[in-house]
Amino acid sequence: MKKILVLHTGGTISMQADEQGQVTSSQKNPMTLVSNPLESIQVTSLDIYNIPSPHVTFSHMLGLYQTIRENAQSYDGFVITHGTDTLEETAYFLDTLDIPKKPIVLTGAMRSSNELGSDGVYNYLSALRVAADEKAADKGVLLVMNDEIHAAKFVTKTHTTNLSTFQTPTHGPLGLVTKRNILFFNQTEKRTRFHLDRIEGTVPIIKAYADMESILLDSLSTDQISGLVIEALGAGNLPPTILPSLRRLTKEIPVVLVSRCFNGIAEPVYAYQGGGVQLEKEGVLFVKELNSQKARIKLLIALNASLSGQDLADYIQG
């Protein structure tokens, strides 16, 4: 029998809708009342938090990481129930740290526990099945919802309310949950992992747009921020109007670039003023395939792991 530790953190999966349809947190987590029909799995549940996911901080994420490490020898796998708004960030954060080589699965719901067609219990039981499957071990942190298995590194929320909101651009899901089987048809890549006790620093995100002013970059003081993430245009290009401000910043802090496009890879291709080739020469670091919220986490973790210079560049761009 597989022993799975479930860490409940709150979110829609743990909420209920009132008579007006307004969804709020419940004092009693309804997920703790779900009976376990899976005879081959022994579940231990812990209400570690009870907060909506926009309230989640790095302190909460570190608490999950520490709890998993402390219980690594006692359980065969872990399931985390989580609100969907920042689920991908918690998943990626954990996936970047020194987690045990056991299944770690996050899940959530798009409909609260008492709404018509609620998906929480089904996603929860699917996550338990994946966490108990030996094939899920050493694949990093996984997200299981709507019968799909996704890698924490690439998955993202794509719709405000649809049940199939979580998608993996470019790659597609790692696998599927069927009625009888857990199927994996893609592999996760090896990761550089860090053991950290705290996360410090500030890394804002700025999105590029047509006819962009430099006011946002001008307002940033390198005394107050540790780095910067820019959502650039296309393959990794910026309006020339912001280049003087950008040069000022790259001289003092790491500036990381991702594409604002949903699919594809940011890379230095265009050689015109503000194009990726020029940005790379200015010291901007290109992140492959991550969205801006995950690139921010990657940079913060690298800085807290004391990476600098070429080591920092290699990790960010690797």
Side-chain angles (χ1 to χ4, degrees):
M1 178 174 288
K2 296 289 186 178
K3 298 173 64 178
I4 305 298
L5 177 62
V6 178
L7 303 175
H8 295 295
T9 70
T12 299
I13 194 171
S14 300
M15 294 182 179
Q16 293 183 332
D18 63 18
E19 295 177 354
Q20 287 75 44
Q22 297 177 348
V23 179
T24 56
S25 299
S26 308
Q27 281 191 338
K28 180 67 175 178
N29 182 354
M31 298 307 298
T32 60
L33 305 177
V34 175
S35 60
N36 175 25
L38 306 172
E39 296 180 356
S40 61
I41 301 175
Q42 178 183 330
V43 174
T44 301
S45 292
L46 176 62
D47 277 326
I48 187 169
Y49 310 122
N50 186 21
I51 56 175
S53 66
H55 295 190
V56 170
T57 66
F58 288 133
S59 177
H60 295 115
M61 297 180 194
L62 279 170
L64 289 169
Y65 168 62
Q66 291 159 355
T67 301
I68 290 171
R69 281 177 57 91
E70 290 166 1
N71 290 277
Q73 301 306 314
S74 302
Y75 294 92
D76 300 301
F78 301 86
V79 168
I80 300 170
T81 64
H82 197 289
T84 59
D85 284 350
T86 62
L87 190 155
E88 65 189 86
E89 288 163 88
T90 295
Y92 180 73
F93 180 92
L94 294 173
D95 195 43
T96 308
L97 298 184
D98 189 23
I99 53 174
K101 294 181 179 181
K102 294 187 176 184
I104 300 173
V105 180
L106 277 81
T107 193
M110 295 303 293
R111 295 175 182 163
S112 59
S113 62
N114 62 339
E115 285 186 77
L116 185 65
S118 174
D119 54 329
V121 172
Y122 184 85
N123 287 335
Y124 172 61
L125 296 178
S126 296
L128 286 175
R129 289 176 59 199
V130 174
D133 193 296
E134 293 182 358
K135 297 190 298 294
D138 201 20
K139 280 186 166 57
V141 176
L142 304 173
L143 182 148
V144 172
M145 285 183 67
N146 203 39
D147 285 334
E148 292 183 338
I149 307 169
H150 294 268
K153 182 175 180 179
F154 300 119
V155 71
T156 191
K157 187 175 183 179
T158 66
H159 195 285
T160 55
T161 57
N162 196 285
L163 297 189
S164 61
T165 181
F166 282 100
Q167 303 290 327
T168 297
T170 306
H171 300 272
L174 285 178
L176 297 175
V177 179
T178 73
K179 299 298 182 183
R180 296 186 177 184
N181 294 295
I182 307 298
L183 303 176
F184 287 95
F185 41 77
N186 282 320
Q187 296 296 319
T188 53
E189 37 182 53
K190 295 296 182 183
R191 301 291 306 279
T192 301
R193 300 191 181 280
F194 302 97
H195 174 61
L196 298 174
D197 295 316
R198 60 185 179 182
I199 297 290
E200 297 177 333
T202 300
V203 173
I205 299 171
I206 289 181
K207 187 168 187 171
Y209 46 87
D211 197 20
M212 186 175 182
E213 314 87 354
S214 65
I215 184 172
L216 292 176
L217 292 176
D218 291 341
S219 68
L220 296 176
S221 168
T222 54
D223 293 332
Q224 296 178 317
I225 63 174
S226 313
L228 174 67
V229 174
I230 296 180
E231 271 194 31
L233 310 172
N237 310 301
L238 293 172
T241 49
I242 68 170
L243 293 182
S245 294
L246 188 64
R247 290 191 189 101
R248 172 183 69 87
L249 294 170
T250 55
K251 290 177 181 178
E252 299 187 51
I253 58 170
V255 176
V256 166
L257 180 147
V258 301
S259 174
R260 72 178 193 179
C261 295
F262 180 71
N263 272 302
I265 297 172
E267 56 185 354
V269 175
Y270 290 92
Y272 53 72
Q273 189 180 18
V277 172
Q278 180 185 11
L279 298 177
E280 184 180 46
K281 291 178 180 177
E282 297 284 355
V284 174
L285 304 176
F286 283 65
V287 176
K288 298 179 181 67
E289 298 187 89
L290 291 185
N291 56 29
S292 59
Q293 55 266 37
K294 291 180 184 176
R296 169 180 173 262
I297 290 172
K298 186 173 189 177
L299 179 55
L300 273 167
I301 286 177
L303 294 173
N304 279 269
S306 299
L307 296 187
S308 61
Q310 193 59 47
D311 289 338
L312 175 67
D314 290 344
Y315 173 69
I316 293 295
Q317 300 185 130

